[in-house]
Amino acid sequence: MRILESKFVQGFIKMADDGFMQGWHERNGGNLSYRLKPEEVESIKPRLNSPGNWTPIGTSVPGLSGEYFLVTGSGKYFRNIKVDPEVCIAIIELDEKGENYRIRWGLVEGGVPTSELPSHLMNHEVKKRVTDGKHRVIYHAHTTNTIALTFVLPLNDEVFTRELWEMATECPVVFPEGVGVIGWMVPGGRDIAIETSKLMERYNVAIWAHHGMFCSGEDFDLTFGLMHTVEKSAEILLKVLSVTPHKLQTIQPQNFRDLADGFRLKLPERFLYEKE
Ligand code: 13P
Ligand code: ZN
């Protein structure tokens, strides 16, 4: 099958365009990666390019040795992915140690995978382990409202999770494990990748202060839907905070406990603290 026509490439392109349409990808902002299934690798293998040189990933992900990923290119614009995917995205293969990659398809006018490849791959490594291989998508976007919140809320997991949950009844159903937050760090390297992948041990959402968000999920719909839900909740919260510093009424801790019973969720008590 032609690589461009395969279902996972089409799903990837659609998700990238959906993200662009939301306004989350100014210029080259954001990046996306997908861990291919063995049968997908088999189906495209005859059409992969002959292997080029190995390049260091910049970190070590032994749990992903030999795996293939579809990734966005560094400096490529999400708005162009739908128009010219073979220029903007690439399929990479990892070596047996999980320390180097090589490009096997795409980036036909040159380029390299996203500068956030260390974060993507370290997140994939954690998620592959903790979800028994179910999670395949890691998505980073510059979500406007969530970024704005990192200037006005304390940068801790409990406050962010609780405030986002309160903004829409569906939120605790969509991200019952909560969200993680890290303070400002230099993007694009191993240090921020390590901090982000630590959060991915327990959450599917990691917020980077004054920068954006990372989400992990099983497929394109679930991962996009998660990002969309968190970002919409952040938008509601900003609207509320713009009108008043004090909510007149909100969803209370006991309401969340009742929701957990009704929807058979586990909502950690550390998010259901009493406010003064
Ligand atoms: P890339 O263009 O290298 O993917 O970087 C964009 C970005 O959002 C960095 O955090
Ligand atoms: Zn970014």
Side-chain angles (χ1 to χ4, degrees), residues 71-86:
V71 299
T72 50
S74 186
K76 303 298 183 191
Y77 291 24
F78 266 56
R79 65 185 279 263
N80 291 335
I81 291 179
K82 190 168 95 169
V83 181
D84 205 350
E86 285 166 294

Side-chain angles (χ1 to χ4, degrees), residues 144-215:
T144 316
N145 296 287
T146 307
I147 295 169
L149 280 184
T150 67
F151 294 88
V152 296
L153 288 186
L155 299 176
N156 77 59
D157 305 0
E158 285 76 16
V159 172
F160 262 79
T161 299
R162 174 65 174 280
E163 293 302 315
L164 291 170
W165 278 3
E166 282 186 31
M167 289 305 108
T169 299
E170 285 287 298
C171 281
V173 181
V174 177
F175 48 100
E177 59 295 308
V179 304
V181 187
I182 56 180
W184 188 89
M185 289 184 77
V186 175
R190 185 159 182 271
D191 291 350
I192 198 167
I194 291 170
E195 292 309 311
T196 312
S197 64
K198 277 186 206 158
L199 292 180
M200 286 293 172
E201 297 275 350
R202 62 201 306 198
Y203 305 116
N204 295 322
V205 179
I207 294 169
W208 284 1
H210 323 323
H211 184 144
M213 191 175 359
F214 265 85
C215 287

Side-chain angles (χ1 to χ4, degrees), residues 28-31 72-76 113-116 140 142 187-188 208 211:
N28 64 310
N31 22 76
T72 50
S74 186
K76 303 298 183 191
T114 171
S115 59
E116 304 294 1
H140 168 57
H142 294 176
W208 284 1
H211 184 144

Side-chain angles (χ1 to χ4, degrees), residues 207-227:
I207 294 169
W208 284 1
H210 323 323
H211 184 144
M213 191 175 359
F214 265 85
C215 287
S216 172
E218 290 183 29
D219 59 27
F220 297 121
D221 277 350
L222 286 166
T223 314
F224 186 86
L226 175 58
M227 178 94 57

